[in-house]
């Protein structure tokens, strides 16, 4: 499934940071509303995998609402302002930029807008230097 | 304490997805209209006919057209979800395009949205084991075309150029950029009519010249059918190029 591709990429990113000698204290996974990934699938995998790679790490999830800004009329809106059928949602799930093929600005009809937040999946880590490697605390 | 804020996992994802691909060949041109897409499509079809495991990826996300050449209706044929999405088989080639998700509707992407779409397609596509992945790139030398080179592991670029004197400056710039980046590079000459060849340009920029493809008006008629495409004069010329390319790649 598609979530699995993202999960594997997230795990690889965390592994990379651990390999560089950091202790990962916290992993925050931001789930963009537009891409609409299955949060329960993500949780099921990551809650198990991340503590194995980065012992003691807390895993948090934050859902980011999707926001759009029109480059023509300047107005902003969210997904609740537009109607999307099931097939369109599915397309956007795989490639969020597909939204540009299906959605226009609800105020002026323009297709020239930007996704200002809540596009897809990204992560942020809080880390500290591993003591045994640096010999000092930070 | 240090923060690693806002990590985009997609490029790491792309690397994982491409880890079992032996050779990645982006097909590039300095400008549109030189037949880059057809060269990419025919090279992939020929390599598959020669028994290689081949993928074809259309990364021209604002105006994908490889599916039109292949006669793929993106509303009917869809990738299968398996550890990402697995590209469907088209005439022996694993084929992926953003058109599977935009259904041939206009996709007016600008700036960062182009880059995002490219990263997303690379991150979700599960290629499995391949000998060769041919990538049709956005035309021109703007950021989106050059970024693609950074996202692909060890890209070996096939530059497509026409012998037009007007286009020459563009080709030179493309070859110069590729040389500067230390990338392996090949050049083919499409729509060759006269005697003025690009061999000496290839020599100047240390690119391997793979040959010329004659102008073939019959190709237009063959669009939409891989069998008919493979039957054109253009395809016969590309077959020789594909052979040389596979040799160069050690496949
Ligand atoms: Zn507007």
């Amino acid at each position: 499934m598609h979530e699995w591709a993202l999960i594997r990429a997230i795990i690889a990113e965390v592994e990379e940071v651990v390999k560089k000698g950091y202790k990962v204290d916290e992993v925050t996974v931001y789930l963009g509303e537009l891409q609409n990934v299955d949060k329960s699938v993500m949780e099921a995998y990551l809650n198990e995998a991340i503590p194995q790679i980065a012992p003691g790490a807390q895993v948090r999830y934050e859902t980011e609402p999707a926001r759009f800004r029109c480059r023509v009329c300047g107005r902003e809106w969210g997904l609740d302002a537009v109607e999307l059928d099931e097939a369109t949602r599915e397309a956007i799930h795989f490639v969020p930029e597909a939204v540009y093929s299906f959605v226009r600005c609800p105020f002026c009809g323009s297709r020239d807008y930007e996704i200002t937040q809540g596009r897809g999946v990204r992560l942020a880590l809080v880390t500290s230097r591993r003591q045994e490697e640096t010999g000092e605390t930070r | 304490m240090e923060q690693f804020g806002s990590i985009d996992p997609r490029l790491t994802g792309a690397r994982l997805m491409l880890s079992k691909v032996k050779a990645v060949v982006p097909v590039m041109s300095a400008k549109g209209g030189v037949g880059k897409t057809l060269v990419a499509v025919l090279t992939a079809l020929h390599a598959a006919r020669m028994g290689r495991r081949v993928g074809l990826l259309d990364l021209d996300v604002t105006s994908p057209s490889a599916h039109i050449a292949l006669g793929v209706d993106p509303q009917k044929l869809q990738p299968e979800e398996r550890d990402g999405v697995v590209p469907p088989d088209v005439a022996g080639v694993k084929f992926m395009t953003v058109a599977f998700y935009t259904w041939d509707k206009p996709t007016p992407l600008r700036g960062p949205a182009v880059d995002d779409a490219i990263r997303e397609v690379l991150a979700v596509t599960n290629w499995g084991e391949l000998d060769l992945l041919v990538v049709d790139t956005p035309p021109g030398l703007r950021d989106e075309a050059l970024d693609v080179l950074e996202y692909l592991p060890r890209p070996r670029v096939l530059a497509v150029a026409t012998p037009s004197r007007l286009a020459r400056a563009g080709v030179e710039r493309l070859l110069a950029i590729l040389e500067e980046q230390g990338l392996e590079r090949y050049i083919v000459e499409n729509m060759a009519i006269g005697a003025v060849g690009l061999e000496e340009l290839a020599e100047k920029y240390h690119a391997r010249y793979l040959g010329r493809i004659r102008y073939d008006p019959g190709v237009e008629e063959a669009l939409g059918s891989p069998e008919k495409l493979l039957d054109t004069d253009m395809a016969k010329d590309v077959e020789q190029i594909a052979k040389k390319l596979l040799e160069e790649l050690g496949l």
Side-chain angles (χ1 to χ4, degrees):
Chain A
M1 71 159 53
H2 169 239
E3 274 76 2
W4 187 87
L6 295 168
I7 289 163
R8 211 167 62 144
I10 290 171
I11 289 171
E13 292 286 359
V14 175
E15 273 172 348
E16 191 63 28
V17 170
V18 170
K19 226 188 285 170
K20 280 182 190 153
Y22 291 96
K23 180 179 176 296
V24 176
D25 300 314
E26 195 179 280
V27 176
T28 305
V29 183
Y30 293 92
L31 304 168
E33 184 192 17
L34 186 60
Q35 187 157 43
N36 192 27
V37 303
D38 190 329
K39 189 181 167 196
S40 63
V41 173
M42 278 240 161
E43 280 181 335
Y45 277 89
L46 291 180
N47 290 358
E48 176 118 344
I50 292 198
Q52 285 179 31
I53 310 161
Q58 296 286 320
V59 192
R60 298 171 48 228
Y61 302 86
E62 272 189 38
T63 304
E64 229 177 37
R67 295 293 294 170
F68 306 88
R69 185 192 299 123
C70 181
R71 291 197 182 100
V72 175
C73 73
R75 289 210 253 208
E76 292 193 24
W77 74 93
L79 267 186
D80 49 353
V82 291
E83 264 185 42
L84 300 175
D85 61 29
E86 197 49 46
T88 307
R89 274 174 212 275
E90 184 74 358
I92 293 171
H93 169 62
F94 287 107
V95 181
E97 282 60 45
V99 74
Y100 289 101
S101 295
F102 301 103
V103 171
R104 292 168 180 272
C105 167
F107 302 101
C108 75
S110 167
R111 281 213 247 230
D112 191 8
Y113 55 85
E114 57 182 319
I115 305 163
T116 56
Q117 65 165 54
R119 187 205 154 280
V121 174
R122 60 188 175 85
L123 67 156
L125 308 180
V126 176
T127 61
S128 48
R129 272 281 174 198
R130 273 212 302 259
Q131 256 176 285
E132 63 268 31
E133 286 193 3
T134 57
E136 59 181 20
T137 33
R138 297 181 43 149
Chain B
M1 191 182 276
E2 283 193 47
Q3 302 267 347
F4 284 80
S6 207
I7 297 172
D8 178 353
R10 289 174 297 174
L11 294 181
T12 296
R15 266 197 301 281
L16 292 170
M17 290 300 202
L18 292 166
S19 60
K20 290 178 192 149
V21 178
K22 285 188 194 158
V24 179
V25 174
V27 180
M28 297 186 76
S29 68
K31 64 185 198 72
V34 301
K36 172 178 60 65
T37 297
L38 272 174
V39 171
V41 167
L42 285 169
T43 301
L45 288 173
H46 274 304
R49 271 203 169 176
M50 294 170 194
R52 307 310 192 281
R53 295 167 299 175
V54 182
L56 174 65
L57 169 61
D58 191 346
L59 277 187
D60 187 356
V61 294
T62 46
S63 47
S65 56
H67 64 289
I68 298 167
L70 290 168
V72 166
D73 179 347
Q75 295 221 54
K76 293 202 178 114
L77 190 68
Q78 284 279 307
E80 188 192 327
E81 267 193 81
R82 198 167 5 106
D83 299 347
V85 298
V86 177
D89 184 290
V90 179
V93 171
K94 279 188 174 182
F95 176 57
M96 182 65 177
T97 169
V98 74
F100 286 135
Y101 304 107
T102 57
W103 303 341
D104 265 346
K105 288 171 185 279
T107 313
L109 305 180
R110 288 217 323 201
V114 176
D115 189 52
D116 267 324
I118 288 172
R119 288 177 183 224
E120 201 70 31
V121 169
L122 286 170
V124 303
T125 312
N126 179 3
W127 293 102
E129 288 189 23
L130 288 182
D131 296 311
L132 171 67
L133 177 65
V134 178
V135 184
D136 191 9
T137 62
L141 301 174
R142 291 169 46 176
D143 287 351
E144 51 256 42
L146 298 175
D147 284 347
V148 167
L149 295 177
E150 272 178 47
Y151 303 159
L152 298 171
R154 201 182 163 210
R156 296 144 103 166
V157 179
L158 181 63
V160 179
T162 56
S164 149
R165 272 154 73 187
L166 288 175
R168 209 182 158 86
V171 187
E172 285 218 53
R173 207 154 50 234
L174 172 59
L175 291 176
I177 290 170
L178 297 174
E179 185 171 35
E180 211 175 275
Q181 297 191 359
L183 296 173
E184 278 176 63
R185 51 208 174 274
Y186 313 106
I187 185 164
V188 298
E189 199 171 345
N190 194 20
M191 301 187 229
I193 311 166
V196 190
L198 294 173
E199 284 101 328
E200 29 102 21
L201 267 193
E203 208 169 305
K204 183 172 171 193
Y205 294 98
H206 307 98
R208 174 79 203 276
Y209 182 83
L210 294 187
R212 62 184 63 187
I213 303 161
R214 286 162 293 172
Y215 174 66
D216 176 6
V219 164
E220 192 65 28
E221 288 275 304
L223 290 177
S225 158
E227 293 74 33
K228 284 186 191 162
L229 276 178
L230 282 166
D231 226 25
T232 58
D233 285 341
M234 180 182 185
K236 284 175 197 122
D237 290 345
V238 176
E239 186 176 8
Q240 298 310 312
I241 286 163
K243 264 186 201 155
K244 281 187 202 156
L245 178 68
L246 291 176
E247 211 173 285
E248 286 287 323
L249 300 172
L251 294 173

